[in-house]
Amino acid sequence: MSLSFEGRVVLVTGAGGGIGREYALAFAERGASVVVNDLGGDIKGGGKSSAAADKVVEEIRAKGGKAVANYDSVEDGEKLIQTALDAFGRIELCNNNSFPCGNVYSLIFISDIVHRVHLRGSFLVTRAAWNHMKNQNFGRIIMTASAAGIYGNFGQANYSAAKLGMLGLANTLAIEGRKYNIHCNTIAPVAGSRLTETVMPADLLASLKPEYVAPLVLWLCHDQCQENGGLFEVGAGWIGKLRWERSQGDIVRQKNQPMTPEAVRDKWDKICDFTEATKPVSIQGYLLELIYHFFIVLNTKILSSLFFFLFFPQTEAVGKKLPPTTFSFDHTQCILYALGVGMSTKDPDHLRFLYEGHADFSCLPTFGVIPSQAAMMGGGLSTVPGLNIDFTQVLHGEQYLELYKPLPTSGKLTSEATVADVLDKGSGAIILLDVNTYNGNELVCYNQFSVFVVGAGGFGGRRTSEKAKTSLPPPRRTPDAVVIDSTTRDQAALYRLSGDWNPLHIDPSFAALGGFKAPILHGLCSFGFAARHVLKQYADNDPSRFKAIKVRFVKPVMPGQSLQTEMWKEGNRIHIHKNFQTTILDLCTDLMTGGLMSVSVQGGGLQSELVFAEIGRRIKDLGSEMVKKVNAVFGWEITKDGRPAAQWTIDLKNGSGSLHKGSYSGKVDVTFTVSDEDFMEVVQGKLNPQKAFFSGKLKVRGNIMLSQKLEVILKDYAKL
């Protein structure tokens, strides 16, 4: 199957001739929109003309392709990228091609233009494209190095230094871009061009066609290629990958003895012996090897110290204390928090948390997270040595709250935070932050925040910690109680007034940077919903019976969605299933609560009702678009314990679409009959629809082929 670049946008610098021209033509031939950049100068960087770029653009357009020209210097990288944005709306592939060569300069005449154009120019162009690639979670970058940079070459000190600098730049970009699906590779091509005609014989030049290099570049830029951080030599139809090699070396220092040049001389043959050589691929590999030899020369204790100091700087943070924070409040903050987690005067039981004049006026137990969150929201983590965190990549993973006595409704609380542990989860790092909150000298509550830092893993640390508060899964039976509660479109806007000012929950632009279509609800807001559901169901809204709660956040909730809390009572423990995953809520007076929390959307006892309510919301937002794609009416008959329990009709044929509950007077194209439990299994991806059909769990009447269009309705909610 041929590789297509249909819909992709590529910038090729130096594309007015030679190998750059070949890249531009090859990308265009396979469907890419091409920005052809060429300053039109000579091989020494002099002169300027639009003719070279224009000619290539004309060639592409003559063949039916899409291309625009750009005549700016690569030192004006922003202008090159802006050309792509103006013409095609985005930039995805960036090919930093060759520029002035400057072969005639010796070491004492290093030309500034060679470095400015090759190294700095590639940096400036890539920097201009970088954030666009990050925001779209895709990018491919090619750096064009040279054999002169890899091996050195007589008379090319300036060019060699610039080209090897490009390789170093590419290696770091490959590491930094990995988490954003941005790959950066380097090629060292040998091809006939205006840059090589001064250093190659004519007959050799004729045999090295640029079209023998372009296929490698296209492959490295394609979606299917997962190569990242590679260095490739290419020419005349041959491609080879380069890597570093290191000898085993030898120890030339003895414990408690000076290291001398004579010792180096005596071990020189061993130092330079590449028998059984190693092949390091990262700076971590380099440090591991170095530290291994420290171990031989020194001792285990010093090894341990060096190992964690050099290789795992994150562990410096463990045990470090953050600056103390204070929180002054009165009844206003308590009431504002209660409103933020969904309490309303419509429910008389809520009044004790909403009216300061109530005889039993109290603070909700989960308000205990508010005084402690200042440790993170105030930037305290940034003060800890070893925690070099990109706070745009921080997610709230888990939360544990334990109360030692009911919270006061006013006063001044002091919180002291300590980094309990730093864990390596591969794709990210987890920071466990313990926070003790005091009222004067009296310990009031304890929180453990589990913070997930995307892209900060892979440092070789431990994956688990005995310091982490754990939770238990719920029983495998029908819940003992179910509570469904609605959030409002302004729920996040209201909750943030309690102190969590993260713009992810209010600013659509900031939410988009995080990959969300709209601002999401605070995890701790849903956490508050769940805790008060349990407090009412099993503790008669008595805050003094609340002891502890543990949750794990799994899937975001959008303001306006409804939340369902399912509860199982197991002796002195209550398990919860909501928009988190494992929750443990302990209540005093012998009542403990623990459970599992996962997403919900409106309903009344049947889990499927939550899904249909979400479908209804989506039809309301995108109905016209869905009608165009689907053009069908679907009927659903939901059963419970073998008996009819609910009927739903999804009309995506008429008007702008609609959702009906109960009997439907119009014509239905296809009807599905399935139990509530099996419906949820299908929606969650746990039960294959075809298997459900052939096993009799899913019955279909009418045009069965229309079932293929259900993906349009359910695809975004397959893991409710």
Side-chain angles (χ1 to χ4, degrees):
M1 184 176 180
S2 62
L3 299 178
S4 171
F5 287 87
E6 193 70 40
R8 293 298 188 194
V9 178
V10 60
L11 164 67
V12 182
T13 59
I19 195 169
R21 168 182 172 274
E22 188 62 34
Y23 295 157
L25 295 175
F27 275 114
E29 183 182 352
R30 291 174 180 262
S33 300
V34 184
V35 177
V36 179
N37 162 263
D38 202 286
L39 190 63
D42 58 32
I43 66 171
K44 295 183 181 179
K48 184 172 182 180
S49 169
S50 64
D54 288 341
K55 184 177 179 181
V56 176
V57 169
E58 290 171 7
E59 286 186 72
I60 291 173
R61 290 177 176 174
K63 297 178 181 179
K66 292 167 286 188
V68 294
N70 175 276
Y71 320 113
D72 295 302
S73 166
V74 290
E75 292 187 272
D76 297 315
E78 294 283 354
K79 293 182 179 179
L80 276 68
I81 300 304
Q82 193 60 49
T83 298
L85 299 178
D86 291 344
F88 305 118
R90 62 191 183 283
I91 179 67
E92 294 155 316
L93 315 175
C94 188
N95 192 335
N96 293 295
N97 189 39
S98 300
F99 305 102
C101 186
N103 300 315
V104 296
Y105 300 99
S106 68
L107 178 62
I108 60 174
F109 295 112
I110 289 184
S111 169
D112 180 54
I113 192 173
V114 171
H115 282 264
R116 284 185 9 234
V117 176
H118 281 280
L119 181 55
R120 181 167 172 76
S122 296
F123 159 72
L124 291 171
V125 171
T126 304
R127 183 177 68 176
W130 189 258
N131 281 337
H132 298 286
M133 293 178 174
K134 279 178 61 175
N135 292 343
Q136 66 202 12
N137 200 41
F138 179 85
R140 296 292 185 266
I141 300 167
I142 301 295
M143 294 292 181
T144 304
S146 167
I150 299 169
Y151 306 111
N153 194 32
F154 183 85
Q156 288 190 297
N158 54 349
Y159 185 71
S160 299
K163 285 301 187 182
L164 193 58
M166 291 178 69
L167 175 60
L169 174 62
N171 288 341
T172 295
L173 292 179
I175 295 170
E176 294 183 356
R178 185 184 301 127
K179 60 186 174 184
Y180 305 112
N181 193 28
I182 302 173
H183 297 172
C184 185
N185 291 285
T186 305
I187 65 167
V190 181
S193 72
R194 54 184 171 156
L195 301 184
T196 57
E197 57 191 23
T198 62
V199 294
M200 287 186 179
D203 55 347
L204 177 59
L205 200 65
S207 65
L208 296 174
K209 297 180 180 180
E211 52 261 45
Y212 296 150
V213 175
L216 170 63
V217 171
L218 266 66
W219 166 240
L220 292 174
C221 287
H222 199 270
D223 305 35
Q224 294 179 17
C225 182
Q226 295 304 304
E227 184 70 36
N228 189 28
L231 170 62
F232 300 88
E233 291 180 311
V234 54
W238 172 86
I239 302 171
K241 184 174 182 179
L242 278 74
R243 64 184 180 189
W244 292 101
E245 189 175 54
R246 178 174 57 204
S247 72
Q248 288 287 342
D250 203 2
I251 300 295
V252 295
R253 172 193 171 196
Q254 301 301 318
K255 186 177 180 180
N256 300 323
Q257 296 294 322
M259 181 175 171
T260 65
E262 289 79 12
V264 176
R265 176 200 61 198
D266 295 342
K267 296 292 186 74
W268 193 247
D269 288 345
K270 185 68 179 297
I271 291 170
C272 299
D273 182 2
F274 278 86
T275 305
E276 299 181 354
T278 60
K279 300 172 179 63
V281 295
S282 67
I283 193 168
Q284 286 86 357
Y286 154 72
L287 290 172
L288 277 174
E289 185 74 17
L290 184 65
I291 292 164
Y292 169 74
H293 292 297
F294 282 156
F295 169 70
I296 296 175
V297 175
L298 303 174
N299 57 57
T300 305
K301 183 176 180 180
I302 295 178
L303 165 70
S304 176
S305 174
L306 286 168
F307 190 71
F308 288 107
F309 179 75
L310 291 172
F311 196 52
F312 304 143
Q314 292 89 340
T315 58
E316 283 186 71
V318 177
K320 298 293 184 182
K321 295 184 180 298
L322 278 63
T325 59
T326 58
F327 179 77
S328 298
F329 67 108
D330 59 20
H331 64 273
T332 305
Q333 283 78 19
C334 299
I335 295 170
L336 188 61
Y337 174 80
L339 292 169
V341 296
M343 290 201 131
S344 169
T345 55
K346 291 185 294 185
D347 189 333
D349 290 342
H350 292 180
L351 200 59
R352 69 177 296 177
F353 300 104
L354 297 175
Y355 174 42
E356 71 280 8
H358 192 280
D360 296 317
F361 179 61
S362 304
C363 186
L364 274 173
T366 48
F367 183 75
V369 301
I370 301 300
S372 64
Q373 70 185 5
M376 288 197 304
M377 298 304 296
L381 283 175
S382 63
T383 67
V384 178
L387 289 184
N388 300 315
I389 299 172
D390 177 358
F391 283 91
T392 65
Q393 300 301 309
V394 170
L395 301 174
H396 196 170
E398 300 183 21
Q399 182 71 31
Y400 176 79
L401 167 65
E402 183 173 352
L403 263 61
Y404 299 103
K405 62 183 307 177
L407 295 169
T409 56
S410 64
K412 182 177 180 180
L413 303 178
T414 302
S415 295
E416 298 177 355
T418 304
V419 178
D421 216 338
V422 181
L423 306 178
D424 184 356
K425 292 295 186 178
S427 61
I430 286 182
I431 301 168
L432 298 179
L433 186 67
D434 286 346
V435 185
N436 287 308
T437 300
Y438 298 86
N439 185 7
N441 295 322
E442 186 176 28
L443 181 61
V444 176
C445 64
Y446 159 73
N447 280 269
Q448 183 177 86
F449 293 83
S450 179
V451 179
F452 186 81
V453 187
V454 179
F459 57 88
R462 293 180 296 110
R463 293 185 61 86
T464 59
S465 173
E466 67 282 356
K467 299 175 184 177
K469 298 296 181 180
T470 58
S471 52
L472 299 174
R476 295 187 176 184
R477 69 169 193 270
T478 302
D480 300 321
V482 177
V483 175
I484 298 170
D485 218 342
S486 298
T487 66
T488 69
R489 293 296 295 268
D490 296 320
Q491 200 73 56
L494 180 59
Y495 181 83
R496 69 191 297 269
L497 299 180
S498 289
D500 188 341
W501 303 105
N502 189 338
L504 176 65
H505 307 294
I506 191 71
D507 185 341
S509 299
F510 194 91
L513 291 176
F516 300 102
K517 295 180 180 179
I520 62 174
L521 192 63
H522 304 71
L524 286 178
C525 180
S526 298
F527 162 89
F529 269 79
R532 66 176 182 78
H533 290 164
V534 176
L535 196 67
K536 179 175 180 178
Q537 184 71 31
Y538 291 105
D540 196 27
N541 274 334
D542 181 359
S544 66
R545 298 184 63 193
F546 181 101
K547 183 181 180 185
I549 182 171
K550 169 68 189 289
V551 303
R552 177 177 172 225
F553 305 104
V554 174
K555 189 177 187 295
V557 177
M558 310 305 291
Q561 290 182 328
S562 295
L563 300 170
Q564 174 173 291
T565 304
E566 298 174 347
M567 293 166 273
W568 293 260
K569 190 174 185 301
E570 286 274 290
N572 294 330
R573 170 156 289 155
I574 297 166
H575 299 268
I576 311 168
H577 188 274
K578 198 174 184 61
N579 189 45
F580 317 108
Q581 199 168 343
T582 319
T583 304
I584 291 194
L585 179 63
D586 295 339
L587 302 177
C588 296
T589 61
D590 298 325
L591 185 58
M592 297 171 56
T593 325
L596 185 78
M597 308 172 91
S598 154
V599 107
S600 307
V601 193
Q602 176 111 294
L606 295 174
Q607 295 184 68
S608 55
E609 293 191 10
L610 306 172
V611 179
F612 284 111
E614 183 69 8
I615 291 171
R617 186 190 65 80
R618 188 177 182 197
I619 292 174
K620 184 177 180 181
D621 293 340
L622 303 170
S624 298
E625 178 185 335
M626 296 170 73
V627 167
K628 291 179 182 178
K629 292 181 179 180
V630 178
N631 191 32
V633 179
F634 300 92
W636 289 88
E637 296 174 349
I638 305 298
T639 65
K640 186 75 172 178
D641 299 326
R643 299 178 180 178
Q647 281 184 293
W648 294 91
T649 304
I650 303 172
D651 184 348
L652 293 179
K653 178 182 284 188
N654 303 299
S656 57
S658 58
L659 175 72
H660 303 270
K661 185 177 182 181
S663 58
Y664 181 68
S665 58
K667 180 183 178 183
V668 175
D669 296 304
V670 59
T671 300
F672 303 91
T673 302
V674 63
S675 72
D676 184 60
E677 294 84 356
D678 290 335
F679 176 83
M680 294 305 297
E681 291 279 304
V682 171
V683 170
Q684 292 172 339
K686 298 177 181 178
L687 176 61
N688 182 282
Q690 287 80 13
K691 289 184 178 179
F693 175 73
F694 286 112
S695 65
K697 292 183 177 181
L698 175 64
K699 298 180 175 62
V700 184
R701 302 193 308 273
N703 187 352
I704 191 172
M705 298 304 294
L706 289 174
S707 62
Q708 299 176 28
K709 295 188 176 183
L710 284 173
E711 182 184 7
V712 175
I713 304 169
L714 299 175
K715 65 179 180 180
D716 290 340
Y717 307 100
K719 293 184 178 179
L720 290 170

